[in-house]
Amino acid sequence: MSEHSPIPYSPTSFSQGRMDFTWEELTDAERAQAYADWEAGKGLIGGDPHRRPGSHLLPPWGIDRPFFRALALDDERGWNGAALRALLASHRPLEIEIGFGRGDFLLDRAQRHPHRLFIGYETKTKATRLMLARIEQLAQGRRAGDGQAERAGRDVALHPSPLAAHPSLWISDDDARFGLPRAIGDGRVAIFHVLFPDPWWKNEHRVKRLFSPPFVDLLAAKVCPGGMLHFKSDVQEYGELVRYLVENHPAFAAHDPALAASIGESVPTHREHWCRRHGKPVWAYYFARR
Ligand SMILES: C[S@@+](CC[C@H](N)C(=O)[O-])C[C@H]1O[C@@H](n2cnc3c(N)ncnc32)[C@H](O)[C@@H]1O
């Protein structure tokens, strides 16, 4: 493990949320409907990016930073697209987190494994911008809060970060279901981390839920043989739905708790930290790609 700076936590604002998640095995009609919805782009967070004005351009705040949008990879006002493509063309193992939220897990992981590549998807643009700032702070060898000390005229200890050498951690505010097929090659991903995704309790919101048969097909296409899906939730029944969907896919082996060792040490996500503080159980699943 490489030396890295600890990432401090601030108080959380999570509430318990509903826990009465129920699901049933899909009928053929429901499965067909899930594929039809996927094809039609239904349920994408923020709607279909093709319909957004200027969707082929990076936002000004994202230019020349480790940020991308699938539809703006050819925007030549910045080095973003070319740099990301060059990194993806390398043989460095790639890990992708979907829904990184505050980004604690991903930042920590990128610091521990400087020879791997990391990509994070998070549809909340504000959270993505905050994460960009955190990535750049770390790359400059600082920790959050150091700037304050600097302004106060105090000595600031610099913490050289492995992120300083290469921008090995990139982020996007695309809906991962839209971005992954367009930006990431088949078989390129070593590990997907999907940690505490929104359960979307209501029936009418189900189409926004990440896990569905076409989403599992997408994961199967992107993960390399021997790669893995790492999933966690504090909603036990959502975990069981994911297990049902993934284990029914021929590309994935059954959940194997022993695979936790291949993830190794990591810091908890923001939600997991909240669960620990409040004594709430967490369910973790590890599925190897055959
Ligand atoms: C419940 S939060 C958990 C955040 C973080 N993983 C944690 O454990 O603290 C789920 C996050 O996933 C993001 N999200 C939901 N659907 C997404 C999608 N299709 N693509 C990318 N991010 C998504 C949400 O914006 C939200 O920040």
Side-chain angles (χ1 to χ4, degrees):
M1 190 186 87
S2 64
E3 288 214 354
H4 68 285
S5 330
I7 296 158
Y9 285 104
S10 57
T12 64
S13 55
F14 289 117
S15 60
Q16 164 74 70
R18 286 174 58 174
M19 290 287 143
D20 55 338
F21 185 100
T22 54
W23 64 277
E24 282 173 19
E25 294 196 10
L26 296 184
T27 62
D28 288 346
E30 285 168 334
R31 196 170 278 273
Q33 187 62 51
Y35 280 98
D37 289 344
W38 180 275
E39 281 302 315
K42 280 196 189 161
L44 287 176
I45 313 289
D48 182 346
H50 285 114
R51 298 202 181 152
R52 274 179 226 145
S55 59
H56 61 296
L57 296 174
L58 290 161
W61 52 263
I63 293 174
D64 287 341
R65 301 175 81 185
F67 170 83
F68 69 102
R69 286 178 179 164
L71 294 184
L73 282 172
D74 294 320
D75 183 347
E76 287 177 352
R77 292 171 308 155
W79 46 248
N80 309 46
L84 180 63
R85 284 194 173 108
L87 281 171
L88 288 174
S90 74
H91 292 292
R92 294 166 69 179
L94 170 65
E95 298 190 16
I96 296 185
E97 182 177 4
I98 300 178
F100 59 74
R102 237 177 56 153
D104 300 321
F105 174 84
L106 195 56
L107 275 173
D108 173 71
R109 201 145 174 91
Q111 288 184 275
R112 286 178 196 267
H113 302 283
H115 302 299
R116 299 185 194 172
L117 291 180
F118 293 88
I119 286 179
Y121 283 97
E122 171 51 62
T123 46
K124 288 185 183 129
T125 300
K126 195 173 166 197
T128 305
R129 293 186 69 173
L130 286 171
M131 177 69 161
L132 256 187
R134 292 182 87 188
I135 292 171
E136 289 168 349
Q137 254 178 344
L138 279 170
Q140 288 160 16
R142 296 139 175 262
R143 286 185 305 189
D146 283 351
Q148 255 176 325
E150 228 170 23
R151 284 192 292 281
R154 278 183 269 135
D155 279 344
V156 177
L158 288 184
H159 305 274
S161 160
L163 287 180
H166 307 280
S168 59
L169 168 53
W170 284 66
I171 55 176
S172 174
D173 63 354
D174 283 339
D175 185 314
R177 293 170 294 179
F178 180 87
L180 282 169
R182 294 167 173 84
I184 309 296
D186 284 355
R188 182 65 185 85
V189 182
I191 307 181
F192 271 108
H193 306 277
V194 188
L195 307 174
F196 304 87
D198 301 296
W200 295 110
W201 308 96
K202 292 183 185 168
N203 249 345
E204 63 266 32
H205 290 158
R206 193 179 293 185
V207 72
K208 296 186 178 192
R209 199 182 282 161
L210 214 41
F211 277 86
S212 66
F215 179 68
V216 180
D217 287 348
L218 174 63
L219 296 180
K222 299 299 162 189
V223 184
C224 59
M228 170 169 45
L229 165 64
H230 169 209
F231 174 87
K232 278 186 179 176
S233 181
D234 55 335
V235 180
Q236 185 176 16
E237 286 304 312
Y238 190 23
E240 285 305 307
L241 168 62
V242 167
R243 182 180 188 154
Y244 158 75
L245 290 172
V246 177
E247 290 186 348
N248 272 295
H249 196 289
F252 287 102
H255 161 53
D256 178 1
L259 290 174
S262 59
I263 301 286
E265 260 190 81
S266 53
V267 300
T269 70
H270 200 205
R271 177 72 189 182
E272 186 167 17
H273 180 69
W274 182 92
C275 290
R276 287 185 190 178
R277 274 209 358 227
H278 292 82
K280 308 289 180 200
V282 160
W283 285 270
Y285 297 84
Y286 307 87
F287 306 97
R289 171 76 166 86
R290 294 183 204 278

